[in-house]
């Protein structure tokens, strides 16, 4: 489905995205409720840039990512994607048969490099599969292309005859990246790509992703559960809580001058070299709210250290408080919150 053009700078523009999962119960599968996993989420990503989508487990960030690549069918909203042919399509509305050519342009890197690679296939099969499916039938050409891709991600081409178990977590994630790059995508959706890796390996993979972005002008949607990982790799950050974006801003502004109390608490958990600053960690009380029964008013109010009576009854809107800086909080303009230095 062709759509009214968005700004040519945007590769992806998400408008009012919702994904509700219905809850059925009993023998007759009676509908008893719904989980609002993603509830009116909007954002855009410029070509060649990285947006980090951050929040605790269960906040809806992975569901958002999966809607964008249409692993989930959205309940409502638009996912406007600028194709290689420079037309804008609404991925949310496309029938399945029209999605296939588009999947080449949108690829996903998964969280767990141990389970995302088929253990019975060699690297040649794993990385070469998307090439084969998309018409590169000639085996020699496929071998040559897989060798190039392995080199690109820092692996020796001789490894292509080996199976995934022969590799470390970091190497496996490199294989996942090579596979994602095989078809020259423009958008990479990376779902916590380093959270299953040792800290020492995380930096190597993040550097690789940045190098590849610069080389191929890739656009990233980078999903993460804390803010420490994404600081140096993202141009913008959007923080999610119970299915909604509560703050989004250019990275520097969000880290140094957060305007939402939830962002402040996430920032307080970012590791700091100074031990005196480490003691300032804000430990939120309670658990992330249940998206099947979100709290009234501001969903964050049961855990918020700055709560006012109005917060318990009136849902705050997402408002611009500076150019490109959006916040969902009644007190966004009056609170001075603690960030981290640049
Ligand atoms: Fe806290 Fe109220 Fe702001 Fe919600 S609206 S984040 S409860 S101050």
């Amino acid at each position: 489905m062709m759509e009214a053009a968005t700004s040519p700078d945007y590769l992806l523009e998400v408008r009012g995205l919702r994904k509700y999962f219905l809850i059925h119960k009993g023998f007759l599968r009676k509908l008893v409720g719904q989980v609002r996993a993603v509830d009116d989420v909007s954002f855009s990503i410029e070509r060649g840039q990285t947006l980090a989508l951050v929040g605790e487990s269960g906040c809806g960030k992975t569901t958002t990512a999966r809607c964008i690549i249409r692993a989930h069918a959205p309940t409502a909203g638009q996912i406007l994607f600028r194709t290689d042919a420079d037309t804008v399509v609404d991925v949310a509305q496309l029938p399945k048969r029209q999605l296939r050519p588009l999947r080449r342009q949108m690829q996903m890197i998964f969280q767990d490099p141990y389970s995302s690679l088929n253990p019975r296939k060699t690297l040649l099969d794993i990385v070469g599969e998307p090439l084969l499916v998309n018409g590169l039938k000639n085996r020699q050409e496929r071998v040559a292309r897989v060798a190039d891709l392995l080199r690109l991600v820092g692996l020796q081409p001789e490894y292509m005859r080996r199976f995934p178990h022969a590799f470390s977590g970091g190497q496996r994630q490199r294989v996942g990246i090579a596979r994602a790059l095989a078809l020259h995508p423009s958008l990479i959706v990376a779902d916590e790509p380093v959270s299953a890796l040792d800290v020492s390996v995380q930096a190597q993979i993040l550097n690789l992703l940045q190098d590849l972005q610069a080389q191929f002008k890739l656009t990233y949607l980078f999903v993460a559960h804390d803010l420490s990982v994404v600081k140096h790799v993202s141009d913008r950050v959007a923080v999610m809580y119970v299915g909604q974006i509560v703050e989004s801003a250019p990275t520097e502004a969000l880290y140094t001058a957060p305007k939402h109390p939830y962002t402040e608490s996430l920032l307080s958990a970012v590791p700091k070299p100074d031990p005196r600053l480490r003691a300032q960690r804000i430990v939120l009380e309670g658990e992330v709210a249940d998206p099947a029964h979100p709290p009234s008013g501001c969903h964050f109010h049961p855990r918020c250290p700055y709560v006012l009576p109005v917060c318990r009854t009136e849902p705050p809107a997402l408002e611009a408080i500076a150019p490109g800086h959006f916040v969902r909080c009644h007190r966004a303009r009056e609170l001075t919150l603690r960030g981290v230095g640049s």
Side-chain angles (χ1 to χ4, degrees), residues 84-331:
D84 289 352
D86 207 25
T87 54
V88 176
V89 292
D90 184 358
V91 176
Q93 299 293 330
L94 278 187
K96 274 198 172 148
R97 72 193 143 73
Q98 288 180 31
L99 277 172
R100 187 147 172 231
L102 216 59
R103 291 201 194 281
R104 191 181 62 71
Q105 299 171 46
M106 309 169 117
Q107 291 287 316
M108 190 144 183
I109 299 171
F110 296 93
Q111 177 179 0
D112 186 353
Y114 292 91
S115 62
S116 59
L117 304 179
N118 187 331
R120 285 183 290 278
K121 291 189 171 177
T122 63
L123 300 201
L124 173 60
D125 292 335
I126 291 169
V127 178
E129 187 180 34
L131 299 168
L132 181 63
V133 170
N134 280 272
L136 189 58
K137 306 278 184 218
N138 183 301
R139 185 172 169 84
Q140 263 184 338
E141 285 177 30
R142 223 164 46 243
V143 168
R145 178 85 180 109
V146 169
D148 286 344
L149 286 161
L150 292 181
R151 263 187 231 107
L152 200 59
V153 298
L155 293 173
Q156 295 179 27
E158 301 80 66
Y159 290 169
M160 74 171 75
R161 311 278 172 197
R162 298 189 192 171
F163 293 87
H165 66 77
F167 299 96
S168 67
Q171 287 172 319
R172 288 181 203 209
Q173 196 53 295
R174 286 174 192 267
V175 175
I177 294 169
R179 183 186 157 96
L181 290 178
L183 299 172
H184 304 290
S186 49
L187 176 70
I188 300 261
V189 177
D191 185 12
E192 304 212 35
V194 297
S195 55
L197 303 176
D198 288 347
V199 175
S200 58
V201 181
Q202 287 186 357
Q204 295 169 14
I205 297 297
L206 292 174
N207 287 339
L208 172 65
L209 288 171
Q210 281 191 294
D211 291 347
L212 294 169
Q213 181 171 43
Q215 195 172 343
F216 298 109
K217 215 168 188 311
L218 295 168
T219 304
Y220 291 149
L221 175 63
F222 195 111
V223 175
H225 66 265
D226 67 51
L227 283 166
S228 54
V229 164
V230 298
K231 185 176 181 193
H232 300 293
V233 297
S234 51
D235 299 285
R236 285 187 64 82
V237 178
V239 176
M240 282 190 76
Y241 190 79
V242 194
Q244 296 182 323
I245 290 178
V246 295
E247 181 163 11
S248 78
T251 305
E252 180 75 11
L254 188 121
Y255 278 74
T256 55
K259 295 293 177 191
H260 195 283
Y262 181 57
T263 311
E264 182 189 47
S265 73
L266 290 180
L267 284 171
S268 78
V270 171
K272 301 167 190 78
D274 183 342
R276 284 166 302 174
L277 294 177
R278 275 182 226 154
Q280 295 177 352
R281 179 163 183 179
I282 301 166
V283 180
L284 291 175
E285 291 184 3
E287 298 292 319
V288 182
D290 176 0
H293 306 283
S296 59
C298 170
H299 294 344
F300 188 57
H301 86 251
R303 306 174 80 193
C304 181
Y306 308 98
V307 61
L308 292 178
V310 65
C311 306
R312 297 192 172 93
T313 53
E314 297 294 324
L318 190 68
E319 285 180 19
I321 55 148
H325 194 151
F326 301 89
V327 189
R328 193 185 292 275
C329 172
H330 292 304
R331 305 189 66 189

